[in-house]
């Protein structure tokens, strides 16, 4: 799958599905489920590394996890999902050269074919244009941009007229700069829906209503595994509780302590 394919999907009205993965197990699952795109998002800093924001994530960590994601795919190369990797905080904010080196390192050493970065400030647009000139496809990200948490928090964005005008302007700038798609996070559905019609590149929503060209979800959130669920990512089932109950049962059935009233008979232990 190539990035240009996603623009074709939009033209054909074919819905685009994007799921995050952070290791070989999660990538094999989302590939088998049929995701078009696998995003190695820097949300892995919160989901699997236990940080309270995405800011501490390093380029080395992104590469380490992206390599594991690539190793997890089971389908032939031509049938594997497109892999997009987030550029972590400070890997692209300090200038174009540093950004090319960071993005190039990810693409050179893993199966990722594109990077995602946040915002549309003038410096960011220069970085995007340079990356694209160097042959590195870029996905944009507007609305709730978690790397700016200390400025905007985790709350819903583009709620007033002024910030809606800004997101329109910024989306257009990202498209003109050459982004192949844009993630819109936690903004009103009507704004995302209008942007979907206004832009020729795909609009991928998360907490941005259902009228987008595609949807992206943090896989741990929709599997109900995250301890803190974002309000806009409803779990499909109570994954954490199901896992805990199953493991509790296993612990009980394997407990060799005869004092333990829940210990099962030796028959149930033959599963070792
Ligand atoms: O890091 C991530 O997982 C993301 C998605 C929430 C879009 O950027």
């Amino acid at each position: 799958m190539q990035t240009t394919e996603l623009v074709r999907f939009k033209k054909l009205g074919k819905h685009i599905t994007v799921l995050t993965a952070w290791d070989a197990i999660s990538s094999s699952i989302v590939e088998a489920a049929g995701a078009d795109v696998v995003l190695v998002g820097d949300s892995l800093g919160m989901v699997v590394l236990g940080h309270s924001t995405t800011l501490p994530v390093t380029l080395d960590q992104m590469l380490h996890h992206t390599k594991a994601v690539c190793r997890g795919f089971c389908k032939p190369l031509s049938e594997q999902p497109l892999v997009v990797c987030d550029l972590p905080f400070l890997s692209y904010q300090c200038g174009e050269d540093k950004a090319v080196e960071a993005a190039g390192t990810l693409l050179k050493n893993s199966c990722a074919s594109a990077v995602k970065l946040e915002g549309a400030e003038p410096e960011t647009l220069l970085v995007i244009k340079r990356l694209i000139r160097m042959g590195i496809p870029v996905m944009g990200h507007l609305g709730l941009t978690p790397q700016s948490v200390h400025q905007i928090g985790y709350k819903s964005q583009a709620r007033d007229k002024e910030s809606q005008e800004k997101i329109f302007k910024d989306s257009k700038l990202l498209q003109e700069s050459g982004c192949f798609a844009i993630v819109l996070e936690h903004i009103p559905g009507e704004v995302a829906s209008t942007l979907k019609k206004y832009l020729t590149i795909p609009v991928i929503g998360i907490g941005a209503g259902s009228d987008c060209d595609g949807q992206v979800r943090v896989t741990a959130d929709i599997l109900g595994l995250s301890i803190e669920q974002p309000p806009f990512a409803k779990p499909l089932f109570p994954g954490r509780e199901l896992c805990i109950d199953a493991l509790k049962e296993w612990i009980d059935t394997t407990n060799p302590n005869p004092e333990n009233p829940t210990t099962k008979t030796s028959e149930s232990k033959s599963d070792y």
Side-chain angles (χ1 to χ4, degrees):
M1 160 91 72
Q2 287 195 321
T3 54
T4 46
E5 190 72 352
L6 298 185
V7 181
R8 204 175 65 84
F9 277 18
K10 174 167 178 139
K11 280 194 191 126
L12 296 173
K14 186 177 177 316
H15 189 77
I16 299 163
T17 50
V18 185
L19 284 168
T20 67
W22 52 88
D23 61 10
I25 289 185
S26 55
S27 66
S28 72
I29 292 173
V30 298
E31 179 198 46
D36 300 308
V37 181
V38 168
L39 171 67
V40 188
D42 59 358
S43 58
L44 69 81
M46 300 167 82
V47 173
V48 293
L49 300 180
H51 294 297
S52 56
T53 72
T54 59
L55 302 192
V57 177
T58 66
L59 185 67
D60 281 350
Q61 287 167 338
M62 289 308 296
L63 180 58
H64 176 77
H65 284 273
T66 308
K67 282 178 165 176
V69 163
C70 299
R71 287 192 291 265
F73 293 136
C74 302
K75 292 185 180 170
L77 193 61
S78 61
E79 293 167 36
Q80 289 174 13
L82 174 79
V83 176
V84 179
C85 183
D86 262 345
L87 282 180
F89 184 59
L90 281 198
S91 68
Y92 61 95
Q93 288 89 345
C94 302
E96 296 169 44
D97 288 347
K98 209 170 162 203
V100 172
E101 194 161 5
T105 300
L106 293 171
L107 266 59
K108 193 180 167 94
N109 297 293
S110 77
C111 69
S113 343
V115 294
K116 176 166 81 56
L117 50 78
E118 298 179 7
E121 296 313 312
E123 299 84 352
T124 314
L125 296 175
L126 290 175
V127 163
I128 292 171
K129 287 181 194 158
R130 171 85 176 274
L131 289 174
I132 293 165
R133 276 204 309 280
M134 296 300 114
I136 301 171
V138 180
M139 179 182 262
H141 185 157
L142 295 174
L144 197 178
T145 44
Q147 291 180 12
S148 306
V149 59
H150 295 307
Q151 210 157 36
I152 63 172
Y154 286 122
K155 56 182 189 303
S156 171
Q157 300 296 307
R159 301 221 73 92
D160 57 74
K161 194 140 181 43
E162 197 184 326
S163 46
Q164 287 172 4
E165 274 164 16
K166 177 156 167 50
I167 207 164
F168 273 89
K169 199 172 117 257
D170 286 352
S171 308
K172 191 84 196 307
L173 287 169
L174 288 181
Q175 175 168 287
E176 284 166 4
S177 301
C179 286
F180 67 89
I182 300 181
V183 167
L184 294 178
E185 181 166 353
H186 210 5
I187 63 165
E190 318 82 70
V191 177
S193 170
T194 313
L195 275 167
K196 171 194 160 185
K197 293 176 193 94
Y198 176 66
L199 299 174
T200 55
I201 57 172
V203 163
I204 314 290
I206 174 165
S210 55
D211 189 22
C212 297
D213 299 302
Q215 294 288 334
V216 53
R217 291 293 181 275
V218 173
T219 301
D221 290 343
I222 53 169
L223 293 184
L225 297 174
S226 305
I227 296 177
E228 279 182 50
Q229 295 281 147
F232 49 83
K234 294 274 168 283
L236 298 170
F237 55 84
R240 250 184 90 73
E241 287 72 20
L242 289 175
C243 289
I244 293 170
D245 288 350
L247 293 174
K248 264 188 185 161
E249 199 181 324
W250 180 82
I251 288 170
D252 285 351
T253 55
T254 52
N255 190 341
N257 181 2
E259 302 289 298
N260 184 340
T262 59
T263 302
K264 300 257 168 76
T265 64
S266 55
E267 268 170 55
S268 62
K269 289 187 190 164
S270 63
D271 291 338
Y272 276 101

